[in-house]
């Protein structure tokens, strides 16, 4: 095996620890890589250790590269739909890959590279596909629209070892419903990194919302 494999295998544990520590995964859509550094600083100041930067914009790869330089932040790539994007994410220093749905091609490729991958699985069939691929942590997207915390609770009954990262429509009002479920590994969302906040460079507000969300995960609010 190439030595790069050893590096990634080590990082599976580190990755899960970093995401699981906060149980919170901000989903970032950055229009400009120039915002990557202040955003990383704002998130870590709010107490977060992990972030997903989506390939929904052309700035993604460069933003990941810049944010990955922050030693306090574990940076992953989101909205990864192709193996070409996996390559771009890895080259930029992404430590994990997230997809909205289940693509055997993307999953297989990530596994070949040894980079942790969290594909979307929102039905029993998709969860079984993930299990067949040897995965037990999946994205659950779009969470609120497909049944929310109740749906996860129902799916967790037969799939006892599966853990979910619900994303889509989560906010401070429904966050506690998700966090109350042991099957929820972490909760994803944009509310602390809303596009209008990023566009306006409101980094203090990003930190405030992040800190409030982190406090919620700790049951402090
Ligand atoms: O994966 C990202 C989703 O689009 C989440 O967005 P949202 O938290 O604004 O619903
Ligand atoms: C929705 C999601 O998880 C993603 O875009 O990666």
């Amino acid at each position: 095996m190439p030595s790069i494999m050893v590096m990634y295998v080590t990082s599976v544990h580190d990755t899960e620890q970093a995401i699981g520590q906060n149980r919170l995964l901000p989903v970032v859509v950055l229009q400009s890589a120039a915002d990557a550094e202040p955003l990383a600083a704002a998130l870590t100041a709010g107490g977060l250790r992990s972030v997903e930067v989506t390939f929904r914009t052309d700035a993604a790869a460069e933003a990941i590269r810049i944010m990955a330089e922050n030693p306090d932040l574990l940076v992953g790539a989101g909205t990864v739909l192709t193996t070409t994007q996996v390559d771009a994410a890895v080259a930029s220093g992404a430590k994990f890959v997230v997809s909205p749905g289940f693509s055997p091609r993307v999953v297989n490729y990530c596994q070949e590279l040894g980079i942790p991958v969290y594909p979307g699985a929102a039905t029993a069939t998709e969860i079984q596909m993930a299990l067949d691929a040897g995965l037990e942590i999946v994205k659950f997207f779009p969470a609120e629209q497909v049944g929310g915390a109740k749906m996860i609770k129902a799916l967790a009954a037969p799939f006892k070892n599966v853990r979910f990262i619900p994303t889509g429509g989560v906010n401070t009002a429904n966050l506690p419903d998700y966090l109350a479920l042991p099957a929820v590994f972490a909760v994803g969302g944009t509310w602390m990194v809303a596009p209008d906040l990023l566009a306006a460079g409101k980094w203090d507000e990003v930190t405030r919302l992040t800190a409030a969300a982190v406090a919620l995960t700790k049951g402090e609010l």
Side-chain angles (χ1 to χ4, degrees):
M1 281 297 156
S3 59
I4 194 169
M5 182 66 84
V6 175
M7 189 180 83
Y8 285 135
V9 168
T10 306
S11 81
V12 172
H13 176 255
D14 294 347
T15 301
E16 292 181 11
Q17 250 204 342
I19 301 173
Q21 178 175 314
N22 283 131
R23 294 182 81 204
L24 199 60
L25 191 60
V27 176
V28 169
V29 181
L30 261 192
Q31 299 301 333
S32 167
D35 292 335
E37 192 179 345
L39 174 59
L43 290 171
T44 53
L48 266 184
R49 282 201 58 205
S50 46
V51 63
E52 173 187 330
V53 180
T54 63
F55 269 78
R56 298 184 197 188
T57 66
D58 292 340
E62 179 64 2
I64 289 170
R65 191 189 64 70
I66 293 168
M67 293 178 84
E69 285 173 3
N70 187 315
D72 298 325
L73 203 55
L74 185 86
V75 184
T79 319
V80 174
L81 308 180
T82 66
T83 56
T84 304
Q85 288 174 333
V86 174
D87 282 335
V90 169
S92 300
K95 292 293 189 282
F96 60 94
V97 164
V98 181
S99 298
F102 190 94
S103 157
R105 189 191 300 261
V106 167
V107 166
N108 290 346
Y109 192 60
C110 287
Q111 290 177 324
E112 274 172 33
L113 294 179
I115 187 164
V117 57
Y118 307 114
T123 65
T125 302
E126 290 159 4
I127 291 168
Q128 287 196 226
M129 288 171 72
L131 289 172
D132 285 349
L135 300 174
E136 290 190 335
I137 300 178
V138 295
K139 186 96 169 187
F140 182 73
F141 173 81
E144 277 296 293
Q145 293 83 346
V146 298
K150 279 186 188 160
M151 180 74 165
I152 293 179
K153 196 171 176 188
L155 288 168
F159 300 117
K160 293 202 180 310
N161 295 328
V162 173
R163 285 179 298 162
F164 299 84
I165 306 175
T167 308
V170 183
N171 52 46
T172 50
N174 57 23
L175 179 63
D177 295 342
Y178 288 100
L179 292 172
L181 300 176
V184 168
F185 178 62
V187 179
T190 61
W191 76 91
M192 72 297 274
V193 288
D196 56 330
L197 293 180
L198 306 188
K202 294 191 174 171
W203 309 120
D204 288 349
E205 184 65 358
V206 170
T207 297
R208 189 188 70 74
L209 291 169
T210 299
V214 169
L216 268 177
T217 66
K218 293 178 180 169
E220 289 175 0
L221 286 181

